[in-house]
């Protein structure tokens, strides 16, 4: 059978989609190649969120095709994912040697399409059509094979986004929000746990909107008695979950509860939520559900109310700060990270100062800063007052300096404390050492061995580096 190499650009959703496609191909008998130079099939899973990501993928494909023409004339090339969805046939018109273009609702068709191309039944396939129930088709996992079992896994719970932030291309490339059912997701999680997974991250473009669009009666939130399909039942005599929640539960929190019931699962995380989805039920869940890790990645994007409105974010600075305060009250020490855009069209120095002051006020443990990149067909791309590259770069540097200073202080405060980690495997930077993650989502590197993989252990922090903590191996004994 042929070998395949998949290169992934962009976010965690793309990583997960690539993993599912790879697992589907392996199930059909394909092998996974170590690089494009030795693969029969090369697939690029693309990202459209930034112009740079699109250009990188296009250049990569053009280079690979150039080399293949001389050295590997039978190599098959394909685009998948967001850029494939937004550009479709245009990609083949631009690069006629591309054989396959698979949109975001067609990942699960990739293996069949490759079979047809490799067997010579079809020369080229471009499929970017919408497909009902495709949100439930991303379910296979590789888990790194049997020798090096993964202890954490990502589970896709929904696809798409209805928020239409004015800078974002995702609603156009991923489509409307579509959620899987709770039993379907729980079955996938149970299977992962039976294969050794200890930590599950529930994944979606806007996970806090999970189940909200589904109009079925049983999904509707109508007091504690109404529940999403498959949610844990709350009997008169008391629930398996304790203490009982004081507010009606959104479908997303019902899903977290259902996953929480799985024996053998130690930790639950989710990404990415939207601030407007942080209701009291979710805040309370952190205090109520011990498996839900005390870490929250909440994209704020700007500290200026004026810009938040133009971005169509659906919350104010005050509401965002209120959520952070409630979370810290519910779970002191919770790890909080965010995404921020600098240089959005029309951003004044005063708007930017408000972002700086918000960063100072919240003291994020980590902040991912993005220089605004105009995306075609999004409202912000046509807004007046687009900022120059030097202005964006200067603001990016100022904010980066500030968030790094604050994060370094936060990390330094952990030196001398004892933290609980889940050991994931060898450290990426130094494979001779092991690496684990705290409940607050901080990486800890320590001298351990493979027998610690998958274990939950307490480690004493001896040193803090740049977004990495170092643990004392003595505590392991
Ligand atoms: S919430 Fe906004 S930024 Fe996030 S995926 Fe949806 S449109 Fe994009």
């Amino acid at each position: 059978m042929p070998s395949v190499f998949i290169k992934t650009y962009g976010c965690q959703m793309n990583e997960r989609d690539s993993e599912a496609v790879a697992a589907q191909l392996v199930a059909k008998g394909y092998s996974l190649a170590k690089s494009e130079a030795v693969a029969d099939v090369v697939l690029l899973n693309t990202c459209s969120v930034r112009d740079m990501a699109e250009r990188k993928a296009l250049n990569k494909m053009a280079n690979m095709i150039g080399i293949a023409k001389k050295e590997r004339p039978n190599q098959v090339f394909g685009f998948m994912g967001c850029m494939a969805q937004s550009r479709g046939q245009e990609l083949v018109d631009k690069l006629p040697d591309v054989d396959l273009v698979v949109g975001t609702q067609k990942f699960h068709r990739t293996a069949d399409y490759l079979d047809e191309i490799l067997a010579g039944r079809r020369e080229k396939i471009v499929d970017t059509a919408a497909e009902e129930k495709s949100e439930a088709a991303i379910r296979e996992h590789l888990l790194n094979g049997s020798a090096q079992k993964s202890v954490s896994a990502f589970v896709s719970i929904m696809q798409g986004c209805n928020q239409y932030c004015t800078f974002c291309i995702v609603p156009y490339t991923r489509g409307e929000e579509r959620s899987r059912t709770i039993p379907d997701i729980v079955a996938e999680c149970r299977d992962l746990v039976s294969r050794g997974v200890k930590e599950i991250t529930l994944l979606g473009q806007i996970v806090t909107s999970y189940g909200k669009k589904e109009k079925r009666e049983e999904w509707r939130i109508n007091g504690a008695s109404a529940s999403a399909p498959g949610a844990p039942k709350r009997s008169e005599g008391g629930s398996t979950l304790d203490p009982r929640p004081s507010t009606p539960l959104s479908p997303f929190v019902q899903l977290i509860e259902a996953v929480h019931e799985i024996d053998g699962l130690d930790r639950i995380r989710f990404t990415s939520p939207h601030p407007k989805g942080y209701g009291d039920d979710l805040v309370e869940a952190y205090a109520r559900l011990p498996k839900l890790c005390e870490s929250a990645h909440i994209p704020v994007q700007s500290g200026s109310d004026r810009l938040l409105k133009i971005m169509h974010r659906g919350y104010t600075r005050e509401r965002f700060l209120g959520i952070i305060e409630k979370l810290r009250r519910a779970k002191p020490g919770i790890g909080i990270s965010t995404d921020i855009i600098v240089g959005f069209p029309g951003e004044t120095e005063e708007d930017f100062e408000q972002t700086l002051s918000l960063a100072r006020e919240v003291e994020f443990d980590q902040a991912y800063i993005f220089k605004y990149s105009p995306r075609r067909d999004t409202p912000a791309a046509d807004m007046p007052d687009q900022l120059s590259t030097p202005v964006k770069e200067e603001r990016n540097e100022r904010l980066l300096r500030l968030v790094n200073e604050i994060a370094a202080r936060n990390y330094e405060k952990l030196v001398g404390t004892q933290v609980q980690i889940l050991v994931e495997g060898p450290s990426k930077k130094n494979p001779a050492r092991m690496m684990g993650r705290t409940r607050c989502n901080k990486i800890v590197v320590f001298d351990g061995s493979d027998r610690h993989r998958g274990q939950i252990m307490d480690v004493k922090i001896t040193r803090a580096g740049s977004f990495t903590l170092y643990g004392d191996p003595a505590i392991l004994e």
Side-chain angles (χ1 to χ4, degrees):
M1 285 295 284
S3 62
V4 61
F5 178 73
I6 305 179
K7 181 164 176 60
T8 307
Y9 297 85
C11 66
Q12 199 48 252
M13 293 287 287
N14 275 17
E15 295 285 349
R16 174 72 198 105
D17 295 334
S18 292
E19 185 200 14
V21 170
Q24 285 160 7
L25 288 166
V26 167
K28 270 189 162 251
Y30 286 72
S31 61
L32 298 180
K34 289 249 180 296
S35 74
E36 72 254 23
V38 291
D40 300 307
V41 177
V42 183
L43 301 173
L44 299 188
N45 193 4
T46 56
C47 170
S48 286
V49 165
R50 302 182 61 71
D51 185 47
M52 181 62 91
E54 288 205 348
R55 272 191 279 137
K56 269 189 190 167
L58 285 169
N59 290 341
K60 177 83 184 166
M61 186 62 89
N63 284 341
M64 289 190 305
I65 288 172
I67 296 169
K69 275 192 176 151
K70 288 185 224 138
E71 297 172 14
R72 296 181 290 276
N74 294 325
Q75 209 167 16
V76 168
F77 292 102
F79 281 114
M80 305 189 294
C82 288
M83 186 174 69
Q85 182 68 42
S86 67
R87 298 194 180 215
Q89 181 65 37
E90 184 194 324
L91 291 170
V92 177
D93 295 342
K94 201 177 173 105
L95 296 165
D97 291 293
V98 168
D99 306 282
L100 178 64
V101 177
V102 180
T104 53
Q105 300 194 33
K106 297 291 180 180
F107 286 111
H108 58 294
R109 304 270 171 218
T110 306
D112 289 341
Y113 288 159
L114 281 178
D115 280 355
E116 292 191 36
I117 290 168
L118 289 163
R121 288 193 294 274
R122 289 172 77 178
E123 206 182 312
K124 253 178 225 320
I125 300 176
V126 176
D127 188 358
T128 56
E131 184 172 325
E132 250 186 65
K133 302 274 175 241
S134 58
E135 67 278 7
I138 304 293
R139 54 196 320 143
E140 288 82 1
H141 293 259
L142 281 175
L143 299 184
N144 287 344
S146 54
Q148 293 213 322
K149 284 238 167 73
S150 301
V151 297
S152 61
F154 288 82
V155 171
S156 176
I157 64 167
M158 66 177 303
Q159 290 281 331
C161 179
N162 293 359
Q163 181 62 30
Y164 289 93
C165 299
T166 52
F167 54 82
C168 184
I169 199 168
V170 165
Y172 310 96
T173 58
R174 291 276 176 170
E176 296 271 294
E177 289 165 11
R178 287 128 30 231
S179 301
R180 297 171 65 187
T181 65
I182 289 181
D184 192 29
I185 296 166
V186 169
E188 183 177 330
C189 295
R190 273 193 205 288
D191 176 59
L192 287 167
V193 172
S194 74
R195 293 159 71 190
V197 165
K198 307 275 185 201
E199 176 183 282
I200 283 175
T201 302
L202 304 173
L203 196 61
Q205 271 92 24
I206 179 161
V207 287
T208 37
S209 292
Y210 170 81
K212 284 199 171 150
K213 193 178 144 270
E214 277 65 21
K215 292 282 180 270
R216 281 165 286 169
E217 187 59 35
E218 65 269 37
W219 285 70
R220 209 166 287 154
I221 300 310
N222 184 21
S225 58
S227 53
K233 296 277 175 288
R234 297 174 178 282
S235 65
E236 277 298 299
S239 164
T240 52
L241 302 165
D242 202 37
R244 292 168 75 90
S246 65
T247 49
L249 301 185
S250 60
F252 182 53
V253 175
Q254 291 178 36
L255 170 67
I256 296 174
E257 280 201 348
V259 174
H260 195 274
E261 295 273 286
I262 298 173
D263 286 337
L265 178 66
D266 291 322
R267 290 177 165 193
I268 302 170
R269 301 184 190 276
F270 56 83
T271 194
S272 286
H274 189 283
K276 72 176 195 178
Y278 260 91
D280 287 347
D281 63 329
L282 183 53
V283 172
E284 222 178 60
Y286 281 98
R288 218 163 41 78
L289 306 176
K291 293 180 187 177
L292 182 60
C293 288
E294 46 272 33
S295 97
H297 178 79
I298 321 179
V300 66
Q301 307 300 9
S302 172
S304 152
D305 278 343
R306 195 184 75 82
L307 282 195
L308 288 173
K309 199 164 178 201
I310 301 171
M311 288 175 168
H312 194 237
R313 289 294 290 169
Y315 53 87
T316 59
R317 172 194 177 97
E318 192 187 343
R319 161 101 173 105
F320 183 85
L321 291 171
I323 295 165
I324 304 296
E325 194 193 322
K326 280 186 191 174
L327 281 170
R328 286 187 167 145
R329 220 181 303 134
K331 214 70 191 169
I334 186 170
I336 295 188
S337 57
T338 196
D339 296 330
I340 300 174
I341 294 174
V342 294
F344 186 80
E347 183 188 65
T348 61
E349 180 60 28
E350 197 190 337
D351 291 320
F352 179 64
E353 288 288 344
Q354 285 176 28
T355 299
L356 290 172
S357 84
L358 181 123
R360 274 186 218 105
E361 198 166 338
V362 176
E363 299 200 339
F364 295 106
D365 294 278
Q366 189 149 11
Y368 300 92
I369 303 166
F370 302 92
K371 285 172 272 178
Y372 171 72
S373 165
R375 308 310 300 125
R376 65 178 185 173
D377 301 331
T378 60
D382 296 325
M383 285 180 185
D385 304 325
Q386 300 282 331
L387 300 196
S388 67
T389 304
V391 170
K392 289 185 204 172
E393 275 169 3
E394 192 264 339
R395 289 183 184 169
N396 179 60
E397 259 173 48
R398 274 158 72 195
L399 183 56
L400 196 61
R401 221 176 305 129
L402 174 68
V403 299
N404 284 351
E405 272 168 30
I406 292 168
R409 276 206 304 273
N410 283 347
Y411 273 66
E412 203 57 48
K413 277 184 207 155
L414 291 168
V415 174
T417 64
Q418 192 163 304
V419 296
Q420 187 196 74
I421 61 167
L422 171 62
V423 183
E424 292 182 7
S427 154
K428 285 197 183 96
K429 283 192 192 142
N430 178 1
R433 309 188 83 192
M434 296 297 280
M435 164 265 182
R437 211 173 277 271
T438 68
R439 289 180 57 93
C440 299
N441 212 14
K442 294 185 173 63
I443 287 172
V444 180
V445 173
F446 65 101
D447 284 327
S449 68
D450 207 59
R451 75 190 160 92
H452 297 119
R453 187 198 293 267
Q455 284 186 25
I456 288 201
M457 48 178 48
D458 291 330
V459 176
K460 189 171 180 185
I461 301 303
T462 54
R463 186 161 67 84
S466 174
F467 297 105
T468 305
L469 297 167
Y470 296 87
D472 184 351
I475 201 90
L476 296 176
E477 308 310 325

